[in-house]
Each structure stands twice: as C-alpha cells, then as structure tokens.
Amino acid sequence: MTLTIAGLQHHGEPGDVDANLAVVAAAAGEAAERGAGILVTPEMFVTGYNIGDRLAPLATPDLVDRIARIAQDSGIAILAGLPETLENGDITNSVVMIDRDGAELLRYRKTHLFGALDRRLFVPGAALPGIVEIDGVRLSVLICYDVEFPETVRRAALGGADAVIVPTAQMEPYAHVAERLIPVRAWENQIHVVYVNRVGGEGDLTYVGRSSIVAPDGEVLASLGATDVGLLIATIDPQATRRARQENPYLADRRPELY
Amino acid sequence: MTLTIAGLQHHGEPGDVDANLAVVAAAAGEAAERGAGILVTPEMFVTGYNIGDRLAPLATPDLVDRIARIAQDSGIAILAGLPETLENGDITNSVVMIDRDGAELLRYRKTHLFGALDRRLFVPGAALPGIVEIDGVRLSVLICYDVEFPETVRRAALGGADAVIVPTAQMEPYAHVAERLIPVRAWENQIHVVYVNRVGGEGDLTYVGRSSIVAPDGEVLASLGATDVGLLIATIDPQATRRARQENPYLADRRPELY
C-alpha cells in the first residue's frame, strides 16, 4: 500500500474563512482527481495566521465540520490548519486530520510556540501527536516551528511513522529552514517529511514558500518555489522507509542510554 | 576571551605514524604562528583509519605522549585522532585533547560505530565526553558518525558548550553530511561546529574533504574544498554563542517533558 500526498502551497485570504474553504474545496477536488489520498494545507490556513485580533472571533467549532464535509464530498482525507477555542477561551494553533469519509483521525495542537507571534495569540498544546494510518502508511504531524527541534521528528520516527506532515507558515528570513533543515530531518531519521508552506504576505510577514516532500534517503520528491501557488504531489511508500533504514541504520545505531 | 581553532585537512600517510606526526608538528607550528590556540586533526589521523590489520600493532600508548610533546614544543593545544589499545586488547577509535603545556585535558572514544568499517576494528566507547575550557571557551568533542545523531550535539549544547569539535573521516557518497547536515547541527543548537575531515583515498574509501567551521547562527566561518590540503582557521567567541541563543532560542523553547 502507498499514499499519495498533495500539499497546497497558497497565499489564502487572511481573515476570510469562506474564501479559504473554497480554496481548500477546489484543491481537494483537484488532488483527488490527480490520485492523492490526502490534501494538506499550510498552518492556520482556514482562518489566516498573522491576523491579530481578527483571529479569536473566527475560531469557532464549525471549522472542523466544514473541513469534514469537504473531505467527504471530495472523497479525500484532509489535514487542515485552523484555530481551536478551548473551554476556558484560550485559543490553540491546531491541525485536524479528517479521513475520506469525514471522520476525525487526529487533532494536534502546536507544542512549540514561535516567539511573540504565536504567544500573543495561542496557548501551547500539552502533548505531541500519535501516529495514524491511511492506506497502510503511518503518519505523524507537526506544525511549523515544532519541526525545527530534532527531538520531535525523532520521536515520530522511533514511533514507527513513515512520514511526518508539517503544515507551516515559514517566513523571511528563514528560507534556509525549508531548504536545508527539512532534508536533514528526513535524512537523519530516514523518514518522509512533507513540508507545506504559505506564500505571499500577511501583516508584516513574507512567507517563503518552498514547500517540499523529501524521501527518507534525503531525495527531494517534489518541491515548489518561493512564490508558486498550487499542489505539491508525491507518493509515500513504506517500502522506501524500510529500505532507507536498512541502508542507513541511524535509528538502530542510536545509543539512547547515552543521551 | 576567544579561541582561534585551526583544523588540519590532510590525506596523511596511512600506516606511517612518523610521517603523520611530522605533518602534525608542521601544522602545529604553522597554526601557532597564525594565532590559533588549538590544532585539530581528522579522525584516526596519527595512524591512518581504513588500514585493516595494520592498525592494531600501531595502537601503542606512546602515541599520546608524542602528541603531547608536539603540543608543548609548539605551545598550542592539540586534539588528535588516534587508536587506543585497552587492557583486554580491544581497540577504540579515540581523540585526545592535550593543552599547550602538554597536559591531557580530555579523552573520548567514539560511541557510535559506523558500519562494518568501524565494527571490524573497534569497540565503542561507553560514554559521551564532558566539556573542557580553553581560554574561556567551552569545548566538547565528537567523532565522525557521532555528529550525525542530533542527540549528541544537543547534549553538548545543553551542557553549555560553545563549540563541538568533530574530527572525521567522511567518505563518498556522504558529502552531503559535510555540506548540509553540519550547518543544520550548528543552527538547531546555536553552537559552533568544527568539522575536520581527511582528503584523498585510503583503501577503497575516497574522503570528501569539505571541512568547515560553522557559527551558531549557521554562518560558515571557514571552509575547505573536496581536495584542499591545509589549515582551516576561525575564531570561536562565546559572545557569539550567547547572542545567537538570544536571537533563536531553540534551547530555551524546547519542551523536554514531551520527548
């Protein structure tokens, strides 16, 4: 079994949920037509990310239901970035994975908040996510800054994930994270990394695009440029993970008793 | 206080200790003249590395004494790669750091053995090294494959090191480790990484050179090409480490309770 993943690199319409969900619906249709089993949006794509006080009123529970309907209508799983309002009123920077029948598979709240930008808007999540399986492919997720900590991807790899999917909103001057750090994360863990970024500007931020899907052996399977809008598509094959881990046995050669 | 580090990128003379020590002595003199406080050799430089059965007879205790005399004569600290024979006859792939007065500061035995090459010749070390200080600069060391595990450099950074020095013997087809992984290690830990490689061939191996000294902000302070022979020189400033960690607070933003 394999899973074809489509990443949506897009500018979105900051603060306009209807417009963003229309983009997601169109992308889900195109991704399904092109054979993908899951569509991935950038971080906080449903509402916009760096929109300050406009965010809180948009963080309503129906966002997840609306994503679930799109998934069901298109017959494709969706991993979408969106805010959640908790019972006490705090807001989290979350991703929700919905399967192709509209059922929720996974919900994860960003655990590593980035600077004043995240801390002004969000509270951190309390736990890293588990692993879910779609079509026999084991997936974990992270959000943006999370992936810059080697511990997070290592944990997913040791947990048996074939791929870590990372919705992000990576901005200038951090293009080197997209270009250099992401392939190293894939290589050092012998795992697929799917890095799906925004483009364009939002407030005082300029996003750097450069979404990519990198194989466990470090090969870039698909990538987009700094300003491209569109789908990034590659197929995740668990056999590729296994072969890579035989060839470069980092996970087996670790000495956890020393760290 | 700062410390200028000189890395010796060189082919050595596989199996010829006298010739290799003459290279070290000449390099120590040149490095001292150019203002360096420490000279770093590649992995197993004193004897040669991929020399099979010729290695064991060369793994004698006097190697450390001979390095110590060169350090004392040149008035410069030396970190040298060499084999050690343990009491039970096992051999380790080690580095020894000698200060400019000829006293031993640190001894470390490679803990992550690389494939059949290392396992045929060596037993692994039992512990990662501590941190030593020269001229107010806090140093840790790793050997080659060790640095490819993010846990090792993280441990050194969390222990307060300003720089991790990595004698290596990195070969084809792993040039991307030198070119891509090393700068990411520096960046993700906000630490200096000093990567000192061999060039030329040894048995069936072709070493890839590309030694480098990378700053905590990911800037490459000094580098050599794939076949250059000579010294790689840069100055380690603990203020640069501190500034980088304020600017990009990965170490403070970790959530160790989640890993």
Side-chain angles (χ1 to χ4, degrees), chain A:
Chain A
M1 303 280 279
T2 63
L3 175 65
T4 297
I5 296 192
L8 171 64
Q9 178 167 299
H10 201 282
H11 45 74
E13 295 298 333
D16 187 339
V17 170
D18 289 341
N20 291 326
L21 288 177
V23 171
V24 173
E30 184 190 338
E33 239 172 60
R34 293 172 66 180
I38 183 168
L39 172 74
V40 180
T41 81
E43 180 180 12
M44 291 289 294
F45 187 77
V46 173
T47 53
Y49 177 36
N50 185 31
I51 58 174
D53 292 343
R54 290 185 294 157
L55 183 66
L58 301 178
T60 54
D62 67 307
L63 300 180
V64 174
D65 301 331
R66 295 176 73 179
I67 291 289
R69 274 198 296 278
I70 296 172
Q72 218 174 353
D73 289 348
S74 311
I76 184 173
I78 298 179
L79 179 68
L82 45 79
E84 285 181 87
T85 301
L86 306 183
E87 281 189 18
N88 66 0
D90 286 342
I91 298 177
T92 59
N93 179 332
S94 299
V95 290
V96 175
M97 193 187 293
I98 305 290
D99 75 13
R100 58 173 66 96
D101 299 317
E104 185 171 324
L105 279 178
L106 183 84
R107 192 179 288 222
Y108 167 65
R109 298 163 176 162
K110 188 177 189 177
T111 49
H112 298 79
L113 296 186
F114 176 72
L117 170 60
D118 268 337
R119 289 182 174 87
R120 193 171 51 216
L121 298 171
F122 306 114
V123 297
L128 285 163
I131 289 173
V132 294
E133 208 171 302
I134 296 182
D135 297 345
V137 177
R138 294 178 300 275
L139 306 172
S140 192
V141 302
L142 293 168
I143 302 176
C144 195
Y145 192 49
D146 289 331
V147 79
E148 300 174 37
F149 296 78
E151 294 89 346
T152 59
V153 184
R154 186 65 112 201
R155 180 180 169 282
L158 292 172
D162 294 301
V164 176
I165 308 180
V166 190
T168 188
Q170 187 60 275
M171 73 286 284
E172 295 290 359
Y174 302 108
H176 64 93
V177 169
E179 290 176 333
R180 307 184 64 162
L181 183 143
I182 293 300
V184 168
R185 284 285 172 274
W187 166 259
E188 72 194 5
N189 291 292
Q190 302 287 304
I191 196 169
H192 298 82
V193 179
V194 180
Y195 193 68
V196 180
N197 197 12
R198 300 178 71 98
V199 292
E202 202 184 31
D204 55 350
L205 303 181
T206 302
Y207 297 114
V208 300
R210 297 175 174 82
S211 298
S212 65
I213 301 178
V214 186
D217 63 0
E219 191 196 343
V220 177
L221 299 178
S223 64
L224 292 173
T227 58
D228 293 337
V229 167
L231 294 182
L232 173 85
I233 296 186
T235 298
I236 309 300
D237 181 353
Q239 302 283 9
T241 318
R242 271 191 285 279
R243 275 195 308 272
R245 288 176 188 175
Q246 281 163 4
E247 187 79 13
N248 289 287
Y250 286 124
L251 298 183
D253 283 349
R254 289 174 73 241
R255 304 220 20 217
E257 74 278 15
L258 304 184
Y259 316 135

Side-chain angles (χ1 to χ4, degrees), chain B residues 186-208:
Chain B
W187 166 258
E188 72 195 5
N189 291 291
Q190 302 287 306
I191 196 170
H192 297 83
V193 178
V194 180
Y195 193 67
V196 180
N197 197 13
R198 300 178 71 98
V199 291
E202 202 183 32
D204 55 350
L205 302 182
T206 303
Y207 297 114
V208 299

